[in-house]
Amino acid sequence: MTGPRVRFAPSPTGFFHVGSARTSLFNWLFARQTGGTFILRIEDTDAERNRDEWHEGIITAMAWLGLDFDEGPFLQSALLGDHVEAAEALFANGHLYTCDCTREEIDERIEGNAKPGYDGHCRERHVPRSEHTALRFAVPASGSTVVHDIIRGDVVFPHDSYEDFIVVKSNGVVLYPLANAVDDRSMAITHIIRGEDLLPTTPKQVMMWEALNHCPGVDVVPHPEYAHLPMLVNEQRKKLSKRKDPVAVESYRDQGYLPDAFVNYLALLGWSPRGDEEIVPRSTLVEQFRLKDVSHSPAFFDVKKLTHMNGEYIRALSAAEFVDRCAPWVRPWSTQWRPTDREACWTKEQFNDELFAKVAPLVQERVATLGEVPTMVDFFFLDDVAFDEASFEKTIAGDPVGRDLLRRAISTFETVEWSSAVLHDTTLALGETFGMALRKSQAPIRCAITGRSVGPPLFESLELLGREVTLRRMHDALVRAGV
Ligand code: GLU
Ligand code: ZN
């Protein structure tokens, strides 16, 4: 297969960061746009920060987002032999040298030096290799390394700002910059698309790549092109913080964001489709995506905008599809995947599929995430209303007029025709005798029936709930108020 070859190379960290999702998506879009190959390589060489279920997490999150890969998943830990081999070739050809300096010795020597970092002390010492020697890369003393970046143009890194960095630790561990470059070489990667935070390491990798190309017996591999994606920032324009910002993709899935909405939103982080429309189907994203159009200024990860967009995607679903998508939240006993850390609102016995199918269109218009659905509809399935106390106090317990209205509504509702239109008109008329607008007069009724002050359209809900339950709940609410 010809065409570009790209890879997504996450280090497992326990959850899937939105920044990783964006990087993964841009690689995927580029591969699909160009007819290239998308590879997943999990960089799992940091033994302390590495667990099997974390690999699973990456794969599951990518599957949820619909980012399918053509090769892999490869585990970097299985490629350690290649890394060592490359390091040996570099050493044999004089690009790496042994260093037995301790941190303390280095710090003492370099204090006050104009050039920061290691001072090249061991370059010509030829210390014999042992378990006390690390291997350092001999950075050329003069000149500079240029990173050809599709997004940023040529970025020049003068060599005098780079110390002779460690490539292999004294314990034999080959460090990430070489391991990562060696794998990119063996996988014949043509475009490296990754976060801007990695840009400072890139010149080291370009230098080592070039050096490897000059080692006899090592394949000459053309340099890839680079595309460093802009940083994601929060509302304060600070880099997204793992602790303070909601960055775990899994939690968006748990809250009921739709993968297509999430992908659509992520695509806008540093890139924009043609035209003014931001709601863009996946196929159009693929068609229009160009790396050179990616911006280099930081992109604001705006949860509000994402949520708004998700609401639009939810409203665009067919009624049947909406019901289907709600399943993990409303009938979790029937689905393979269900949101974590959520208490079921009702039991299988209390739930009623037919009723939910009728109720669903009422809430589809009103939710921004699927996770909001259960609390909006629980009053249809629970025998006891789950009261929001503040709303109960405001509309019933602490409001004598609200209670009066409820009493009058009970006697009127006993006999009227049971349809949403009639219930609406009746409540409107009743409210007028109290000098209340409908918004006001339906508040105590809504609270008595649903326990809350917001929810699906009230009169349609009452029609579905039926006269008997409605009257009983209004009565019970008055008893509950205890006056
Ligand atoms: N595994 C590294 C990281 O996640 C490198 C990624 C890359 O080169 O794309 O930071
Ligand atoms: Zn040294």
Side-chain angles (χ1 to χ4, degrees):
M1 182 145 173
T2 51
R5 290 174 60 82
V6 295
R7 86 302 192 270
F8 170 51
S11 305
T13 56
F15 66 89
F16 200 62
H17 194 286
V18 289
S20 296
R22 197 270 312 253
T23 298
S24 183
L25 172 64
F26 280 27
N27 273 281
W28 182 86
L29 286 172
F30 177 73
R32 295 295 169 259
Q33 208 286 311
T34 56
T37 304
F38 178 46
I39 300 165
L40 174 60
R41 180 175 79 227
I42 298 179
E43 304 210 315
D44 60 339
T45 43
D46 188 343
E48 277 152 41
R49 295 181 20 184
N50 190 27
R51 296 213 210 111
D52 280 353
E53 66 257 35
W54 293 357
H55 305 167
E56 288 306 312
I58 292 170
I59 291 165
T60 311
M62 286 176 67
W64 178 65
L65 293 171
L67 306 179
D68 56 322
F69 42 86
D70 308 305
E71 293 178 19
F74 299 108
L75 294 185
Q76 187 164 56
S77 56
L79 305 169
L80 292 179
D82 295 355
H83 310 151
V84 171
E85 202 179 299
E88 290 306 326
L90 287 173
F91 180 68
N93 289 281
H95 296 290
L96 303 184
Y97 64 87
T98 49
C99 165
D100 62 355
C101 300
T102 62
R103 188 70 253 167
E104 292 71 32
E105 288 166 351
I106 298 171
D107 286 345
E108 212 169 287
R109 282 203 312 268
I110 65 175
E111 217 193 297
N113 278 6
K115 182 182 167 180
Y118 184 72
D119 57 358
H121 179 73
C122 297
R123 258 201 196 209
E124 307 300 337
R125 286 180 63 223
H126 306 289
V127 187
R129 280 174 88 174
S130 73
E131 70 271 24
H132 301 296
T133 52
L135 297 180
R136 290 186 180 269
F137 186 80
V139 176
S142 57
S144 52
T145 290
V146 180
V147 173
H148 301 290
D149 191 288
I150 297 171
I151 299 168
R152 274 145 231 277
D154 284 356
V155 191
V156 181
F157 295 87
H159 290 154
D160 60 13
S161 54
Y162 278 86
E163 63 171 2
D164 288 350
F165 53 89
I166 294 182
V167 177
V168 184
K169 296 212 288 192
S170 55
N171 63 8
V173 169
V174 177
L175 293 180
Y176 143 78
L178 180 61
N180 177 272
V182 166
D183 295 343
D184 287 338
R185 291 168 61 88
S186 67
M187 293 177 187
I189 300 303
T190 59
H191 295 75
I192 293 182
I193 305 167
R194 61 183 177 190
E196 181 191 344
D197 52 321
L198 293 163
L199 184 58
T201 347
T202 306
K204 298 184 189 176
Q205 298 186 303
V206 174
M207 284 186 245
M208 290 190 287
W209 192 299
E210 185 62 16
L212 281 167
N213 277 351
H214 285 93
C215 290
V218 175
D219 288 342
V220 175
V221 183
H223 285 275
E225 286 188 80
Y226 290 89
H228 287 93
L229 306 175
M231 213 163 54
L232 300 188
V233 294
N234 62 20
E235 206 159 3
Q236 289 79 43
R237 307 284 145 177
K238 296 243 175 63
K239 189 176 173 212
L240 287 186
S241 143
K242 270 191 198 179
R243 273 172 302 115
K244 291 191 222 119
D245 298 308
V247 293
V249 171
E250 290 86 345
S251 89
Y252 290 95
R253 186 185 189 191
D254 279 348
Q255 291 171 64
Y257 286 79
L258 300 179
D260 281 337
F262 203 75
V263 159
N264 189 160
Y265 180 69
L266 286 178
L268 307 180
L269 295 175
W271 177 78
S272 37
R274 274 173 247 142
D276 295 333
E277 191 49 74
E278 291 199 314
I279 305 265
V280 181
R282 200 180 278 252
S283 56
T284 308
L285 297 175
V286 168
E287 205 179 289
Q288 296 190 355
F289 186 78
R290 298 291 183 281
L291 273 179
K292 65 172 176 41
D293 295 338
V294 173
S295 141
H296 48 75
S297 30
F300 172 28
F301 180 69
D302 183 353
V303 182
K304 282 198 202 96
K305 185 166 168 184
L306 163 63
T307 306
H308 176 79
M309 196 173 244
N310 198 58
E312 300 219 7
Y313 269 83
I314 286 180
R315 286 187 286 285
L317 296 173
S318 73
E321 204 174 343
F322 177 71
V323 168
D324 238 34
R325 298 286 190 119
C326 286
W329 288 269
V330 303
R331 45 185 354 277
W333 53 86
S334 71
T335 57
Q336 227 174 21
W337 176 84
R338 58 194 73 94
T340 46
D341 298 336
R342 273 193 180 241
E343 306 223 356
C345 300
W346 49 72
T347 64
K348 185 176 170 181
E349 288 65 38
Q350 289 172 314
F351 188 69
N352 176 332
D353 280 299
E354 238 174 276
L355 180 56
F356 182 68
K358 288 187 190 143
V359 168
L362 304 182
V363 294
Q364 184 174 0
E365 295 299 316
R366 302 192 160 208
V367 294
T369 60
L370 299 175
E372 292 167 47
V373 172
T375 50
M376 278 221 168
V377 303
D378 59 358
F379 66 93
F380 283 105
F381 307 110
L382 296 178
D383 300 327
D384 296 321
V385 176
F387 280 100
D388 164 29
E389 293 304 336
S391 145
F392 184 71
E393 177 62 29
K394 180 160 181 258
T395 60
I396 301 171
D399 182 3
V401 184
R403 290 197 301 276
D404 257 357
L405 189 131
L406 263 187
R407 279 187 206 101
R408 295 271 301 281
I410 291 175
S411 55
T412 323
F413 283 7
E414 260 167 12
T415 51
V416 293
E417 180 201 319
W418 201 256
S419 73
S420 63
V422 172
L423 289 165
H424 168 275
D425 295 349
T426 310
T427 307
L428 180 68
L430 190 59
E432 274 165 3
T433 67
F434 286 82
M436 286 177 183
L438 182 65
R439 194 179 47 80
K440 198 90 205 297
S441 57
Q442 67 175 358
I445 302 177
R446 178 186 291 283
C447 183
I449 304 303
T450 72
R452 303 195 174 85
S453 48
V454 284
L458 181 62
F459 304 109
E460 279 89 340
S461 301
L462 297 187
E463 183 181 320
L464 289 172
L465 209 53
R467 191 191 313 265
E468 194 189 325
V469 176
T470 302
L471 292 177
R472 178 165 50 74
R473 287 198 185 164
M474 293 202 294
H475 174 78
D476 288 353
L478 287 170
V479 174
R480 190 173 194 268
V483 272

